[in-house]
Amino acid sequence: MEEMRILSPTAILGYGFPLDSLKRGLARQPHAIAVDAGSTDPGPYYLGSGESFTNRAAVKRDLSLMLEAAVNRKIPLLIGTAGGSGGEPHLKRDCELVVEIAREKGLHFRMAVIHAEVDKERVRGALRRGEVKPSGPAPPLREEDLDETVRIVGQMGYEPIIGAMKAGAEVILAGRAYDPSVFAAPAVKRGFDPGLAIHLGKILECGAIAASPGSGSDCLLGCLGRGYFEVEPLNPIRRCTVTSVAAHTLYEKTDPLALPGPGGLLDLKEARFEQAGEGRVRVTGSRFIPADRYWVKLEGVKKAGYRTISIAGCRDPVMVKEIDGVIESVRERVRDNFKELGYEYFLDFKLYGKNGVMGALEPERQAVSHELGIIIEAVAETQDLADTICGFARSTMLHCSYPGRVATAGNLAFPYSPSDFKGGAVYQFSVYHLMAVADPYELFPLELINV
Amino acid sequence: MKKVRITELAGVIRSKNSGPYELTFDIIFKDRRAFELARRSGLFRKELFAELYGVGVKKVIGVVEFAEANAIKATIVRPVVSGAPGETDVYGAQQHAPLLSIEVPVV
């Protein structure tokens, strides 16, 4: 094959795309349709709770169109990081959706489900053997962290996905996968250069974000040849430019010249970008350098407790001026009130209008706003205790005194009744580490289903 | 020495997570000339980002020039791991504001 075309309909399954863009992409007779369905970006909650951050109805809409297009054309459909986080409950949700759509549309195909959850005892064994190391600035992993961790996934490379294709799967639902993997897999399987295939995957995985104007809910087409790849948008309002594509290469990455991934490094020092036509950009020179050992990135989370928040506003100029002291006195009152009971909790106040967005990184420390948005937040071991702390902090702040106070009716403006909201379980990242494996398939069992 | 505001030279200035432990900043200049001007100024070093965000130089993981995109990017250690208690910006997408005040000395 001289040139392989891979269609990326959207940045994340469930983010949507215009039907016209998909049609234009299909008219180009792609050899595969691939989509990334997840990320760690929405934070640790989704991996911990097993919920997806993408809405079921929105995912079903995208999936229906893609499934029908792929199955009718007999080209593979590849979905990476199913269900948003790529753990077992996430895979299950998307698997059920695929089966539901297939039944409704009368589609039949062979589906591969590639699991990506990693047993923590396996990680413990690797840790004891010295085969686990931090990814980036993460602290060294301790066994105590593993004890508390509720779910761990590994990021698969393209190898298990190629394995699924070789096993005859037409639809591949992968658990947590390195974002470019599902795009690179069909190309590497056909003998294309892994460096170019992974780099193409890196650009395709965000849909039309790499175009100008960019969009996470529109399609992008990748064409991979011998020694180059090209990308182009499928919506006439967008163009791929050297800048838009090159700039996307550095998106969300620490070093755009050296991108570490499963099994090695994508080296872009020699990568060159050129305008190949109206809205189309050609890339050459991307190289993949295999590592001495195959390392897989692990992502894991632990439960941090339960959250309750209260949202309020303050418009009193004296209180706005005194707000730091008010917060300190509320903290102290809460501490004092429950000290005999030995409650453990996290209490935080976010002040919108004063360091609310940047917190510790805010260079402008003094409030200049005439009003403040206040979020009182409590996190504790049970929802009940979080409710107790948040409610008590809220009532204390509502009625507390401060220097110069003239408005004695109440310090806070609540937009809602009830004023307090149960946030449910809270998770935090506890594992973000690399684990050495004997081979790329080791952590990712394959299951084949006839749909 | 003449100084040019960064917003006159750059078309994109943004922040984002690079994984849950890192915050990364992209400054994409309008053209090669603006990029070269910025590069030659010698301003874009770890010290600049440490100062803008009030963090130690050791918290600045790196400053990288990417000529193909006319871009300079810097990455710092997140003060809070994404989504952990005390978080204010899970995606890290609104931490770019201090960069807008950079003035580039033109030599």
Side-chain angles (χ1 to χ4, degrees), chain A residues 26-50:
Chain A
L26 294 173
R28 299 289 299 277
Q29 298 184 308
H31 302 92
I33 301 175
V35 69
D36 177 45
S39 175
T40 55
D41 248 14
Y45 175 77
Y46 305 95
L47 181 57
S49 67

Side-chain angles (χ1 to χ4, degrees), chain A residues 3 6 203 217 325 378:
Chain A
E3 187 176 81
I6 300 160
I203 292 167
S217 50

Side-chain angles (χ1 to χ4, degrees), chain A residues 55-89:
Chain A
N55 175 270
R56 191 180 194 278
V59 170
K60 190 175 178 185
R61 181 267 182 192
D62 289 1
L63 204 47
S64 298
L65 292 163
M66 290 162 59
L67 198 62
E68 198 166 28
V71 174
N72 288 343
R73 281 167 183 76
K74 299 191 185 307
I75 57 173
L77 171 63
L78 306 106
I79 298 154
T81 310
S85 298
E88 281 305 300

Side-chain angles (χ1 to χ4, degrees), chain A residues 22-344:
Chain A
L22 181 73
K23 282 179 183 162
R24 273 187 219 102
L26 294 173
R28 299 289 299 277
Q29 298 184 308
H31 302 92
I33 301 175
V35 69
D36 177 45
S39 175
T40 55
D41 248 14
Y45 175 77
Y46 305 95
L47 181 57
S49 67
E51 290 169 28
S52 173
F53 65 89
T54 47
N55 175 270
R56 191 180 194 278
V59 170
K60 190 175 178 185
R61 181 267 182 192
D62 289 1
L63 204 47
S64 298
L65 292 163
M66 290 162 59
L67 198 62
E68 198 166 28
V71 174
N72 288 343
R73 281 167 183 76
K74 299 191 185 307
I75 57 173
L77 171 63
L78 306 106
I79 298 154
T81 310
S85 298
E88 281 305 300
H90 309 94
L91 263 179
K92 188 166 175 282
R93 202 260 332 235
D94 280 8
C95 188
E96 283 169 1
L97 264 176
V98 170
V99 172
E100 184 177 310
I101 295 164
R103 201 181 303 126
E104 285 171 13
K105 292 187 178 283
L107 301 171
H108 298 281
F109 46 85
R110 198 158 207 224
M111 173 160 69
V113 175
I114 311 174
H115 300 269
E117 269 196 34
V118 182
D119 180 10
K120 63 183 176 186
E121 294 315 313
R122 189 171 200 158
V123 180
R124 196 187 304 273
L127 182 63
R128 287 179 180 169
R129 290 193 302 273
E131 293 181 336
V132 173
K133 61 183 182 184
S135 176
L141 188 63
R142 302 169 310 168
E143 290 202 39
E144 303 93 277
D145 300 322
L146 282 177
D147 295 339
E148 292 180 53
T149 295
V150 296
R151 182 173 288 114
I152 304 174
V153 290
Q155 277 193 6
M156 71 181 79
Y158 55 67
E159 297 89 343
I161 299 163
I162 292 177
M165 295 175 85
K166 285 185 175 164
E170 300 154 274
V171 174
I172 292 157
L173 204 54
R176 185 62 174 132
Y178 177 52
D179 294 355
S181 296
V182 282
F183 303 93
V188 175
K189 178 174 174 277
R190 298 225 195 181
F192 287 92
D193 176 70
L196 287 166
I198 295 169
H199 191 189
L200 174 60
K202 159 79 186 132
I203 292 167
L204 287 180
E205 60 107 345
C206 278
I209 288 182
S212 179
S215 169
S217 50
D218 206 345
C219 311
L220 201 67
L221 184 73
C223 304
L224 184 60
R226 304 291 166 186
Y228 72 91
F229 69 82
E230 292 182 356
V231 285
E232 60 187 291
L234 294 160
N235 187 330
I237 66 163
R238 307 184 197 289
R239 299 277 178 277
C240 277
T241 68
V242 167
T243 311
S244 77
V245 175
H248 187 71
T249 298
L250 53 80
Y251 189 58
E252 295 176 333
K253 293 291 162 195
T254 316
D255 182 344
L257 302 175
L259 303 161
L265 188 77
L266 182 60
D267 176 358
L268 300 182
K269 286 186 200 74
E270 303 295 322
R272 293 293 169 262
F273 300 73
E274 57 185 307
Q275 202 71 42
E278 180 65 18
R280 201 165 76 241
V281 168
R282 173 178 280 232
V283 181
T284 54
S286 324
R287 291 190 305 155
F288 181 73
I289 303 170
D292 294 340
R293 291 199 72 175
Y294 201 101
W295 295 87
V296 170
K297 191 191 277 185
L298 305 176
E299 297 161 358
V301 297
K302 65 179 180 186
K303 205 176 221 176
Y306 292 81
R307 174 181 283 133
T308 307
I309 63 163
S310 184
I311 300 172
C314 172
R315 180 61 181 81
D316 184 294
V318 187
M319 169 125 157
V320 168
K321 194 163 137 274
E322 296 294 331
I323 192 70
D324 292 343
V326 169
I327 287 173
E328 247 346 280
S329 73
V330 173
R331 278 188 192 284
E332 182 46 41
R333 196 69 268 286
V334 176
R335 195 181 303 136
D336 179 68
N337 200 69
F338 297 111
K339 68 182 175 204
E340 294 85 8
L341 297 169
Y343 289 165
E344 285 184 27

Side-chain angles (χ1 to χ4, degrees), chain A residues 412-429:
Chain A
L412 300 172
F414 295 106
Y416 310 113
S417 174
S419 59
D420 303 359
F421 300 84
K422 294 178 203 301
V426 179
Y427 296 86
Q428 65 185 94
F429 284 107

